[in-house]
Amino acid sequence: MPLHVPPAPAPALRSVLTALSSPTVVREARTPSLLRAQGPATPELPLPVHVLDRVTAEGVSATRLAGWRFLIRCGDRAVAAAETMLTPDGWAFSRFFEGPYIASTERAVRQAETMSQPYQPRLLSVPGLYMLTLWLHEDYTADGAAGHPTATDLLVPLAPAPPGIAAHRPHRVAELLPVLTHRVAPTRLLGSPA
């Protein structure tokens, strides 16, 4: 069943297109694959990037929208990614980058497209573990910029995944959150007793 990719905000897409058309921005990005790319570079597969700020013992998570990520395709493959962020003036281009998460995202999306149930793809970052997952949200009609993982949503850790967590293996949120709870160190508030 096809994935239902949420539409990116038009200003976010425009900011990426503007950055791609600027030789200065591309050159300053220092992404070798993008600099060497032959032919037109096009932004594809816009995914909202949510950050998992907190995992509690009960498994309840707090997430926030951090931006939108676009894979930058040249020819038949993605060579880089572009991120946008929300500023007081609206959506703005943030940066180009490359690395293992580009190919891993493509692989996880192809894997998800073979599933029988429809999902809305998103990215979920777990900064405390240096972990990025493809979040497959069951409510594929939802606003991609809102919400939090439900117990039956799927998380597909992208490679490289933290030790002991298999990359590209789908996990129900209800199964993976307890594992993350034990791995993410609780954060202390400044001035709070130890």
Side-chain angles (χ1 to χ4, degrees):
M1 175 132 319
L3 294 177
H4 297 269
V5 179
L13 176 58
R14 276 194 306 274
S15 72
V16 171
L17 290 169
T18 300
L20 278 171
S21 66
S22 168
T24 305
V25 173
V26 171
R27 196 170 36 257
E28 287 178 1
R30 291 184 170 75
T31 56
S33 296
L34 193 55
L35 287 170
R36 289 190 307 266
Q38 300 295 317
T42 57
E44 295 182 356
L45 191 64
L47 296 174
V49 180
H50 295 261
V51 176
L52 183 63
D53 284 324
R54 188 175 65 243
V55 180
T56 67
E58 297 80 30
V60 177
S61 61
T63 62
R64 63 181 165 81
L65 180 67
W68 284 80
R69 181 174 295 174
F70 299 78
L71 292 183
I72 306 300
R73 186 167 300 281
C74 289
D76 63 346
R77 67 183 191 98
V79 297
E83 281 198 351
T84 62
M85 63 183 182
L86 190 57
T87 70
D89 295 324
W91 288 100
F93 172 76
S94 174
R95 67 187 178 117
F96 289 117
F97 65 95
E98 59 184 75
Y101 286 133
I102 309 297
S104 188
T105 300
E106 280 192 307
R107 176 180 169 187
V109 166
R110 280 193 309 270
Q111 179 183 352
E113 287 174 337
T114 66
M115 296 179 175
S116 58
Q117 181 176 341
Y119 289 101
Q120 180 187 84
R122 304 169 175 199
L123 293 173
L124 182 66
S125 173
V126 186
L129 293 176
Y130 301 100
M131 180 179 178
L132 185 64
T133 69
L134 179 65
W135 167 15
L136 299 173
H137 192 49
E138 277 191 324
D139 183 359
Y140 59 88
T141 63
D143 177 0
H148 61 277
T150 64
T152 55
D153 285 353
L154 295 177
L155 297 177
V156 182
L158 301 180
I165 297 176
H168 298 287
R169 181 181 173 273
H171 301 268
R172 293 258 176 235
V173 167
E175 297 165 357
L176 190 58
L177 274 184
V179 173
L180 300 181
T181 302
H182 296 292
R183 295 228 179 161
V184 176
T187 56
R188 281 187 36 220
L189 296 175
L190 291 176
S192 65

